[in-house]
Amino acid sequence: MKFDMGGSGATLGTAKAIGLLKPKDVEVHFIVAACENMISDKAMRPGDILTASNGKTIEVINTDAEGRLTLADALVFAEKLEVDAIVDMATLTGACMVALGDKYAGMWSPDEDLAKALEASSEATGDTIWRMPLCEAEYGPDIKSKIADLKNVGPRTGGAITAALFLKEFVTKTPWAHVDIAGPVWDDKKGGATGFGVKLLVDWVESQGAMK
């Protein structure tokens, strides 16, 4: 689970850094959708239908794709805060690791300005990200369910894209970006986390304040 909570770890690390740096003219909300992940008689099962906090129903196809379910509610919560932009960070898919290896995180966003700002922070900090396509018309149908609004996973192919498209269903109007840090967040040789994402987010937050 140390790997699986890498996105939360990066979020909390960024919160600590921002708290110490105190950048001017920017307000930041850090949201971690933490919950118990142990097996129990109340655990979800394949075939269950869950209702997200925005009312959308989700058919559970794969119980190991559980993180995106809590992340979805976090996105709904974040948008209710009426923020200017939302960036989520998660060790969401092995598919992103297959696509980009362990040196790059994948980044998905339908908002050009936000995507370019994150790419600029990536270049400035060395936390390398690679913008990936959403392909909503082509792959969006892969996460539609016949018995619910959505499935929590799509087919094996394009798994990182369908995961991003799943999250996109929970942001309606706010500029949003999803960063899948599954590859670079962990160093197997050192046996520990790398802290990937903290520098990226800190630089991006500081840049938002500098624009005002």
Side-chain angles (χ1 to χ4, degrees), residues 7 19 80 130 145 162 170:
K80 287 180 180 178
W130 193 269
S145 167
T162 53
F170 298 90

Side-chain angles (χ1 to χ4, degrees), residues 164-180:
L165 287 173
F166 176 85
L167 296 177
K168 186 176 180 292
E169 293 283 336
F170 298 90
V171 182
T172 58
K173 58 184 180 180
T174 308
W176 159 80
H178 160 60
V179 185
D180 191 330

Side-chain angles (χ1 to χ4, degrees), residues 46-50 57-61 144-151:
D48 281 356
I49 306 295
L50 308 179
T57 53
I58 305 163
E59 179 186 3
V60 176
I61 302 296
K144 299 300 182 183
S145 167
K146 291 182 172 59
I147 57 175
D149 294 317
L150 302 166
K151 297 186 290 187

Side-chain angles (χ1 to χ4, degrees), residues 71-100:
L71 182 51
D73 277 346
L75 292 172
V76 173
F77 179 82
E79 190 159 50
K80 287 180 180 178
L81 298 174
E82 298 183 347
V83 293
D84 295 324
I86 298 171
V87 177
D88 79 69
M89 189 167 281
T91 53
L92 204 65
T93 67
C96 193
M97 298 171 70
V98 172
L100 296 177

Side-chain angles (χ1 to χ4, degrees), residues 108 133-141 161 165:
W108 288 259
L134 279 163
C135 305
E136 191 164 6
E138 296 86 351
Y139 296 134
I161 297 174
L165 287 173

